[in-house]
Amino acid sequence: MSVRVRFAPSPTGALHIGGVRTALYNYLLAKKSGGQFIIRIEDTDQSRYVEGAEDYILNALEWCGIVPDEGPKTGGDYGPYRQSDRKSFYKQYADKLISEGKAYYAFDTPEELDEMRERLKEARMANPQYNAISRNQMKNSLTMSAEEVNQKLESGEQYVIRFKMPKNDDVRFKDVVRDWVVVNTTTLDDKVLMKSDGMPTYHLANIVDDHLMEITHVIRGEEWLPSAPLHVLLYEAFGWQAPQFAHLPLLLKPDGNGKLSKRAADQLGFPIFPLNWTDPETGELSKGFKESGYLPEAFMNFLSLLGWNPGTEQELFSMEELISEFSLERINKSGAKFDIEKAKWFNQQYLKNKSNDELAQMLKAETNIDVDFELLSTIAGSMKERITFISDIVESGDFFFNAPQTYDEKTVNKKWTTEAVHKLTDFANEMGQLENISPEEAKEKFIAVLSKDNTPLGKVMPALRLALTGAGGGPDLMEIISILGTKETASRIRKAIEVLKTSN
Ligand code: GLU
């Protein structure tokens, strides 16, 4: 049977990076096995629906390169792929369970439900919920006569359909990540399957759709593990084969203390969503990974290793490599600590591997910078070993475009000496007479000036850098001279000599 997996987000807000990782792992398994990756929008809870969230989720996955074979935009043979468009599918399944005595109608009002919970809490019941014991005291089709139930249904009284949880039974299932999971039904409640508004709940819709869409593996976050026993029981109740389950480990805060939340990310100052997201209720803008300067391929590589390991020391993986290396068996059991420094490291690696022209193109697209393309490409080449984000080329490399206004004080104090100024004056005079030169020629000229009286390179080089860039460190100095040109080099040296006092 061909592998069919789904990512099933609820459009209740932006897509958290944990959700992106879930989508990625589903995608990798599908592509590795030559199967299908499906996106299904789970929007049965109308009260939590957030305008714009569905589009956001689909756009974010597209930016990540996680392309569905079937989904709300793509279509497919198992559609529709939005649960609100499948509303008419679900009732018949709930009815089937009722007719077989595996589910029942419940007519309790919200007040009656509250009262029940209070009563059970007061009596110190371990599980104060609507369950195999408490249902016997409630208003439902198990406690009422068939006549009474029919009358209520006919008169249009509001009801829900609940699952009749078996009493004191062990539910067992094998999870690919966690191995055997055993839960006793005493701890489980009679979950609502159909709500009074005629919509199915997540649990019913999810199982019916996974079955109808012929899903073979359910790969989702650990937060859904508590729902899995009910899902297994629902498959049994319908007489359907359950898919294989894989519950992914949590993404943890950088210190490993607790789940990575939006609040934690905000406090620590890093993004948690792939793209910018403006909360439609509060108007609050959360910056995305994309807009913070991360490349999608670096972001994917980084996320792939948060919960999965290749079993080797290799860290850099293209999407193709991830597809060929990925396996569910190598998903870790324990939570994965989120480390933004690692995300930056991946971005550095991917930027370093881009050609100078690619970097220049990206820079043009991102900053609208008005600089000759070839020059920009050379500048990008000289900066690419030292950048984390593409914008660093113009930020840390500002001296390529503008003469320094200030000079690093520490370097001035230590390295701006009479001797250095003397040599720099000679060098500026040399430069002033030349047309543009290559880095090699610049080096030759510089060494020629120093060798007249055997001045060591280290005595003048830092001062030269200071005069040209204002800083104590940076990319290759001879490349900088070649890029700035001889006239600009001479003029910056003269300006620095005018502005700075020598230390000795
Ligand atoms: N709609 C659920 C969510 O928002 C899907 C959980 C599942 O994959 O079963 O994550």
Side-chain angles (χ1 to χ4, degrees):
M1 197 165 58
S2 151
V3 165
R4 288 178 56 80
V5 290
R6 82 312 191 264
F7 177 57
S10 297
T12 54
L15 181 61
H16 180 286
I17 44 173
V20 181
R21 184 196 58 175
T22 300
L24 174 65
Y25 286 9
N26 274 285
Y27 175 77
L28 293 177
L29 182 73
K31 296 297 117 181
K32 185 186 173 112
S33 342
Q36 272 85 44
F37 170 66
I38 295 141
I39 297 181
R40 183 174 73 225
I41 300 293
E42 299 207 326
D43 59 349
T44 55
D45 190 350
Q46 307 275 291
S47 66
R48 296 185 62 216
Y49 180 82
V50 172
E51 195 67 43
E54 179 182 324
D55 275 345
Y56 177 93
I57 294 168
L58 299 177
N59 292 339
L61 293 179
E62 198 178 318
W63 176 70
C64 294
I66 302 176
V67 188
D69 298 296
E70 297 168 31
K73 270 195 191 163
T74 325
D77 293 343
Y78 296 75
Y81 293 92
R82 194 178 288 111
Q83 287 183 329
S84 56
D85 295 336
R86 301 169 67 84
K87 190 176 167 190
S88 61
F89 290 27
Y90 305 110
K91 175 84 171 37
Q92 56 187 301
Y93 292 99
D95 288 347
K96 184 167 181 284
L97 292 185
I98 289 190
S99 69
E100 292 171 5
K102 295 168 181 167
Y104 59 91
Y105 297 108
F107 300 93
D108 317 274
T109 62
E111 293 72 34
E112 286 163 340
L113 291 172
D114 283 345
E115 261 170 42
M116 170 206 63
R117 278 184 217 107
E118 283 311 312
R119 211 172 48 235
L120 296 181
K121 264 191 222 157
E122 237 167 68
R124 305 213 176 260
M125 296 292 280
N127 301 299
Q129 50 195 9
Y130 209 118
N131 59 18
I133 298 170
S134 63
R135 68 184 171 224
N136 299 320
Q137 264 98 53
M138 302 304 287
K139 263 171 43 194
N140 54 50
S141 53
L142 302 174
T143 58
M144 293 190 288
S145 71
E147 251 173 22
E148 236 180 314
V149 171
N150 280 337
Q151 199 193 341
K152 280 186 181 297
L153 293 177
E154 269 157 32
S155 69
E157 198 168 308
Q158 292 232 320
Y159 67 87
V160 297
I161 298 178
R162 286 181 182 272
F163 183 62
K164 192 176 165 201
M165 185 57 72
K167 203 172 163 183
N168 194 11
D169 196 5
D170 277 344
V171 190
R172 272 166 214 280
F173 63 95
K174 196 168 179 167
D175 185 275
V176 183
V177 180
R178 270 140 232 285
D179 208 30
W180 284 99
V181 178
V182 186
V183 176
N184 189 279
T185 54
T186 310
T187 61
L188 305 176
D189 62 338
D190 288 4
K191 277 274 181 294
V192 173
L193 301 178
M194 289 293 291
K195 294 178 281 187
S196 53
D197 63 2
M199 275 293 219
T201 56
Y202 153 72
H203 302 290
L204 179 67
N206 188 270
I207 269 49
V208 167
D209 286 346
D210 280 350
H211 172 71
L212 295 178
M213 294 183 178
E214 297 183 21
I215 298 302
T216 56
H217 299 72
V218 166
I219 305 169
R220 60 185 173 191
E222 187 181 286
E223 63 273 26
W224 297 102
L225 190 60
S227 299
L230 168 68
H231 296 178
V232 170
L233 289 172
L234 280 170
Y235 281 107
E236 271 174 30
F238 285 120
W240 298 335
Q241 157 136 36
Q244 282 193 52
F245 289 103
H247 287 91
L248 306 177
L250 290 177
L251 290 189
L252 303 174
K253 285 189 222 169
D255 62 7
N257 273 329
K259 215 166 123 174
L260 177 68
S261 60
K262 177 172 177 318
R263 200 148 65 115
D266 285 350
Q267 273 167 1
L268 295 164
F270 56 76
I272 192 129
F273 300 141
L275 310 177
N276 272 2
W277 166 253
T278 306
D279 187 312
E281 246 178 48
T282 61
E284 183 203 356
L285 170 77
S286 303
K287 210 164 176 197
F289 275 87
K290 177 184 178 209
E291 292 81 1
S292 303
Y294 291 87
L295 300 174
E297 54 270 42
F299 181 50
M300 286 299 97
N301 195 159
F302 164 66
L303 277 188
S304 72
L305 294 168
L306 285 181
W308 169 79
N309 75 86
T312 64
E313 294 296 301
Q314 187 179 344
E315 289 191 286
L316 292 175
F317 290 91
S318 66
M319 194 64 114
E320 288 68 40
E321 287 174 307
L322 284 175
I323 290 169
S324 76
E325 294 301 315
F326 185 77
S327 76
L328 289 180
E329 288 66 36
R330 287 208 161 276
I331 290 175
N332 308 331
K333 276 195 185 56
S334 50
K337 274 192 222 165
F338 182 90
D339 177 6
I340 195 67
E341 294 310 317
K342 195 73 198 182
K344 289 181 186 166
W345 180 83
F346 276 107
N347 217 46
Q348 284 163 0
Q349 304 308 309
Y350 279 84
L351 285 173
K352 221 186 322 195
N353 289 331
K354 297 258 178 222
S355 73
N356 299 353
D357 280 1
E358 277 175 307
L359 293 176
Q361 251 148 18
M362 287 163 64
L363 197 56
K364 279 236 169 208
E366 209 172 281
T367 61
N368 279 325
I369 187 168
D370 187 21
V371 172
D372 171 68
F373 186 80
E374 224 172 286
L375 175 63
L376 203 54
S377 173
T378 317
I379 294 175
S382 113
M383 289 294 290
K384 76 175 167 190
E385 293 287 333
R386 7 186 105 244
I387 54 171
T388 302
F389 302 113
I390 195 83
S391 57
D392 290 343
I393 296 178
V394 280
E395 282 161 22
S396 316
D398 180 59
F399 57 83
F400 280 116
F401 312 97
N402 303 299
Q405 298 299 316
T406 57
Y407 299 90
D408 178 60
E409 224 180 282
K410 235 168 99 189
T411 319
V412 174
N413 291 339
K414 269 173 97 178
K415 305 286 182 184
W416 194 255
T417 60
T418 318
E419 187 183 17
V421 168
H422 184 65
K423 289 284 136 196
L424 287 184
T425 311
D426 288 355
F427 187 57
N429 290 340
E430 277 286 325
M431 289 289 107
Q433 289 165 25
L434 296 171
E435 288 310 315
N436 286 341
I437 50 174
S438 68
E440 294 73 30
E441 286 163 335
K443 191 165 185 184
E444 249 171 54
K445 294 287 169 205
F446 188 56
I447 289 176
V449 168
L450 298 191
S451 59
K452 277 186 203 150
D453 49 10
N454 289 330
T455 310
L457 219 69
K459 291 225 159 167
V460 192
M461 200 85 142
L464 177 58
R465 182 183 292 285
L466 194 66
L468 301 184
T469 71
D476 185 87
L477 199 46
M478 299 306 145
E479 263 181 43
I480 296 177
I481 294 175
S482 168
I483 293 169
L484 291 178
T486 48
K487 304 285 179 286
E488 179 67 13
T489 300
S491 125
R492 287 194 188 184
I493 293 175
R494 290 187 181 123
K495 184 183 159 204
I497 292 175
E498 225 177 274
V499 174
L500 296 173
K501 284 198 190 80
T502 51
S503 55
N504 53 54

